[in-house]
Amino acid sequence: MKAWMSLANWAAAWISLAAAAFPLTASADDLIPARYFAGLPKVAEGSIAPGGAHMALRLEEDGQYTTLVIAYDGASIKPIYGFDENEKYGTRWTHWLNAQDLLVSVIFYGRRGGLSVYETRLLTFDVEKKRTRAVFKYDRGENPHQIEDSIVSFLPKQPDEFLVQYLSTGSSPSVFRAKVGAQRQKLVQSYKPGVFDWVADRDGDVRYGSGSRDTKEPYLIIRPKNSEDWIDYSQQISDPAKTFSPLAFSADPDVLYVASNHDEDPAGLFEFNVTTGEFGRLIYRNPEADVTGVRLDPITDALRGVNYGGDDPNVEWLSAKDRKLRSDIYAALGDKNLRFLDSTPDQNYALFVASAPDDPGRTYLFDNKMRALREVSSQYPELDGKALGVVEKAAYRARDGLRIPAIVTLPPSTPRLDDARRLPFVLLPHGGPTSRDYARFDYWAQFLASRGYGVLQMNFRGSTGYSAEFEAAGDREWGKAMQDDIEDGAAWLVEEGYAAPDKLAIMGGSYGGYAALMGVVKTPDRYRCAISVNGVSDLPALIRRDMNFVGGAYWSRHIGNLWRDREDLVANSPARNADKVKVPVLLIHGEKDRRVPLSQSKKMARALQEADGDVRLVELDDGDHSITRYPNRLIFLDEVEKFLSACIG
């Protein structure tokens, strides 16, 4: 197997980090080939079996991923099995249930009810018998579940079992207890109308459900331990400006960890008594960012760490052992962003990616027994030693005074933002829109910077991680206040002298693609051109499509109501306002995008053609929403480079 041979070469080159150095010595004047940026990260996902004797790594070779199961003895590695991927099937994630059984999620394209959808299946792999088998069995003629891999909880006390939810009847999921090797799964929680997501405690008891009531109002129910009665806590989540995010059950069966700003912003980590409905002690609060998650011990459920957002999302480790482990890694690597892929329950082994905004990073295995930090692979080997763009955090004020956090990436020849003078700039709003950008390696931004462009990525209102109020400020503001935040960023660049006013372009993917199109609709004289990648162009059409999916009517309320907001939706749909566009537009869309269908870009292209606009539509064969195939990434970057060169030089 070709990927195995490649991995063996990596294994032979594993070294102690203390003996390694990775200088960036290339000249900033070198034009890095687009294919270097288009390459897929060498290690996409990874998991480690309890005890550390086996790993599963999703590795890239020749533009394609293979998930390899690997034996590790502390000194060398040996591939023992591989799950090949192709244009039809891919691996979504892996998880070791125990030292012997690996759970594998497989994703592929399908059709249901006339709609193109994603399908997932679960497999188990036995490392001793080298055998795979499907978790779910179906009788002849029985329709398989569309989504099989929605895990509710893994069960450390029963390491060959786990809880999974899927639609059995109605339009809400039930929860089943799955067992490795079992022919059928056991129903443990019947569906309840309006509940889309279930959460279980450390014993595997399903005790929390959330969703929407009548597809309109938020719905939250919690069940006290050893009780059959559900308590409705929907009032805790009814105010969009208030945060009440249940994160996990604690070791105490009556206590739930929640992120909340019921007392003040930003949201801190609190204990919440699910029987009395009262908040307990404040465990942790970051002064500048919302708490976003918790890290629990997989065996005891003891609280080990707290995730928080903001401009520098990170983890506050609470245990001395965790702090020591992380400090040892930081001491060896320096100031890097660490993305932990997995660690063993005893913390003797950890697999992680270390990167920086101007460094695509490397994957490492930390072996605490051997006190060694071993490199698995560079994430983008062809970018090693290349001078990449400087990344700075910034902020500007929106027209109503709201502070908008931003990230600026500069060409390698421009060492600081203060040195930027009348550069050609590309505005790059993120997707979501309930998402956000970080000061981390971004191959889109770095590619643009390598071509001499400054790049502005702004976390406009509606972005996550700052506060519930900041996020809620984006509700139903597609094309309005969120768009104004983006336009105010363009004005800030020009006013400060960083950007040349006649050399501005706007580009984005998904919601960012929508924002790019709305930018040239609302402010047709601001930009010289726009690029939309898998972008939305018709809001009513998107909402109607979302209503075909479970919870779609509820989640699309953040965009607007089809009837009540119909005038706003039309006014803020680029395809219905194409006659206002005065500049060239490049549309790039994946043929198999299941989130935003290709029809959205086709509709925009037709509307621009009918308005005698300058438009080019590029359809990516087998392309998905995130452009995960190397050939498509290369086409995408080549098209962007040619288009921007003609547009802003």
Side-chain angles (χ1 to χ4, degrees), residues 535-588:
V536 175
S537 70
D538 189 304
L539 297 183
L542 181 71
I543 294 173
R544 289 192 191 96
R545 183 177 186 276
D546 283 354
M547 287 181 172
N548 291 293
F549 298 94
V550 175
Y554 174 66
W555 301 120
S556 64
R557 79 193 193 285
H558 294 292
I559 304 173
N561 180 278
L562 269 178
W563 175 249
R564 212 169 36 244
D565 303 317
R566 60 191 182 280
E567 292 183 4
D568 265 359
L569 294 174
V570 169
N572 291 293
S573 290
R576 303 189 185 212
N577 295 274
D579 59 321
K580 299 175 183 176
V581 178
K582 302 178 181 179
V583 297
V585 173
L586 173 63
L587 304 169
I588 301 176

Side-chain angles (χ1 to χ4, degrees), residues 10 18 28 33 41 60 149 222 272 280 303-304 324 352 371 380 393 401 439 469 488 540 567-568 586 600 613:
W10 288 338
E60 182 273 342
D149 67 345
I222 303 175
F272 181 79
L303 183 63
R304 286 169 50 181
K324 177 65 166 60
F352 64 92
R371 300 302 297 167
Y380 289 80
K393 288 180 289 187
E469 184 177 6
D488 293 341
E567 292 183 4
D568 265 359
L586 173 63
Q600 287 277 336

Side-chain angles (χ1 to χ4, degrees), residues 400-539:
D400 62 358
L402 185 65
R403 179 183 182 274
I404 305 299
I407 300 156
V408 179
T409 304
L410 301 167
S413 58
T414 306
R416 298 182 309 159
L417 181 58
D418 287 344
D419 297 321
R421 286 293 175 266
R422 297 177 65 84
L423 289 175
F425 250 89
V426 178
L427 273 74
L428 190 60
H430 63 71
T434 49
S435 177
R436 48 89 47 78
D437 276 321
Y438 301 101
R440 294 183 177 178
F441 178 79
D442 184 316
Y443 85 92
W444 286 28
Q446 286 292 350
F447 173 73
L448 294 170
S450 76
R451 269 45 187 172
Y453 306 115
V455 182
L456 176 65
Q457 296 169 278
M458 69 297 293
N459 285 319
F460 43 81
R461 72 191 69 202
S463 300
T464 57
Y466 296 102
S467 71
E469 184 177 6
F470 190 89
E471 183 176 339
D475 278 0
R476 299 175 183 252
E477 293 295 338
W478 287 51
K480 296 182 285 185
M482 287 195 294
Q483 192 70 37
D484 292 343
D485 292 346
I486 297 168
E487 304 310 324
D488 293 341
W492 169 72
L493 287 173
V494 173
E495 290 167 3
E496 294 295 326
Y498 304 139
D502 59 343
K503 291 191 175 183
L504 288 176
I506 186 167
M507 163 182 168
S510 192
Y511 175 85
Y514 163 83
L517 296 175
M518 277 306 298
V520 293
V521 167
K522 288 192 71 172
T523 51
D525 298 319
R526 170 75 73 187
Y527 305 103
R528 296 293 300 275
C529 56
I531 302 172
S532 170
V533 183
N534 294 332
V536 175
S537 70
D538 189 304
L539 297 183

Side-chain angles (χ1 to χ4, degrees), residues 105-389:
S105 168
V106 176
I107 187 168
F108 59 97
Y109 299 117
R111 292 191 68 83
R112 299 219 174 204
L115 295 171
S116 297
V117 297
Y118 290 113
E119 303 259 346
T120 63
R121 300 290 181 267
L122 283 177
L123 306 174
T124 57
F125 173 69
D126 186 320
V127 295
E128 292 184 4
K129 298 177 181 178
K130 309 292 190 297
R131 185 179 68 183
T132 61
R133 62 186 302 165
V135 170
F136 295 98
K137 310 293 183 182
Y138 300 100
D139 295 330
R140 185 183 298 275
E142 187 178 2
N143 193 30
H145 314 304
Q146 179 191 340
I147 303 297
E148 283 189 1
D149 67 345
S150 185
I151 302 297
V152 173
S153 178
F154 296 110
L155 305 172
K157 292 182 179 180
Q158 293 84 30
D160 61 343
E161 300 182 19
F162 57 95
L163 301 183
V164 60
Q165 67 175 44
Y166 59 81
L167 296 178
S168 55
T169 57
S171 59
S172 298
S174 300
V175 181
F176 294 81
R177 192 179 187 110
K179 181 179 177 64
V180 175
Q183 292 298 311
R184 287 288 173 181
Q185 316 310 325
K186 179 183 177 182
L187 175 68
V188 295
Q189 175 61 58
S190 296
Y191 78 97
K192 287 184 176 295
V195 173
F196 306 145
D197 294 292
W198 294 101
V199 176
D201 64 16
R202 65 193 304 266
D203 297 319
D205 292 337
V206 180
R207 298 178 50 210
Y208 158 80
S210 63
S212 73
R213 197 195 313 268
D214 300 325
T215 73
K216 297 177 182 178
E217 300 298 328
Y219 186 40
L220 173 64
I221 55 174
I222 303 175
R223 182 170 61 83
K225 191 73 169 177
N226 301 320
S227 171
E228 296 182 359
D229 299 324
W230 292 87
I231 301 176
D232 190 333
Y233 282 114
S234 302
Q235 75 278 4
Q236 293 285 1
I237 57 175
S238 61
D239 184 350
K242 291 294 183 181
T243 298
F244 182 87
S245 299
L247 302 176
F249 284 97
S250 74
D252 183 335
D254 286 327
V255 173
L256 187 68
Y257 293 127
V258 300
S260 174
N261 66 345
H262 68 281
D263 56 343
E264 61 178 290
D265 279 323
L269 179 65
F270 287 86
E271 292 179 338
F272 181 79
N273 189 295
V274 299
T275 301
T276 66
E278 297 176 346
F279 286 95
R281 66 187 177 103
L282 170 66
I283 299 172
Y284 172 80
R285 172 176 272 131
N286 184 281
E288 298 180 353
D290 287 340
V291 165
T292 58
V294 292
R295 302 290 184 95
L296 302 181
D297 186 285
I299 302 300
T300 66
D301 266 1
L303 183 63
R304 286 169 50 181
V306 184
N307 297 73
Y308 58 88
D311 291 338
D312 292 301
N314 214 322
V315 181
E316 181 74 18
W317 296 102
L318 304 180
S319 74
K321 187 175 182 179
D322 278 306
R323 287 197 295 267
K324 177 65 166 60
L325 174 65
R326 271 59 186 181
S327 66
D328 288 347
I329 294 173
Y330 280 118
L333 292 173
D335 187 17
K336 298 290 184 182
N337 297 317
L338 302 184
R339 179 171 68 93
F340 283 86
L341 303 176
D342 198 15
S343 61
T344 55
D346 58 13
Q347 302 177 64
N348 279 330
Y349 304 93
L351 192 66
F352 64 92
V353 177
S355 65
D358 59 352
D359 174 10
R362 286 169 155 72
T363 303
Y364 296 96
L365 174 69
F366 183 79
D367 185 334
N368 200 26
K369 282 187 173 182
M370 304 292 291
R371 300 302 297 167
L373 188 62
R374 304 188 183 279
E375 180 186 336
V376 177
S377 172
S378 167
Q379 287 294 79
Y380 289 80
E382 292 177 315
L383 289 177
D384 288 347
K386 303 297 184 185
L388 298 179

Side-chain angles (χ1 to χ4, degrees), residues 611-632:
D612 295 324
D614 184 348
V615 61
R616 172 171 168 75
L617 171 61
V618 178
E619 299 180 24
L620 301 176
D621 293 340
D622 289 318
D624 58 13
H625 190 61
S626 300
I627 320 183
T628 58
R629 296 186 62 235
Y630 168 74
N632 287 333

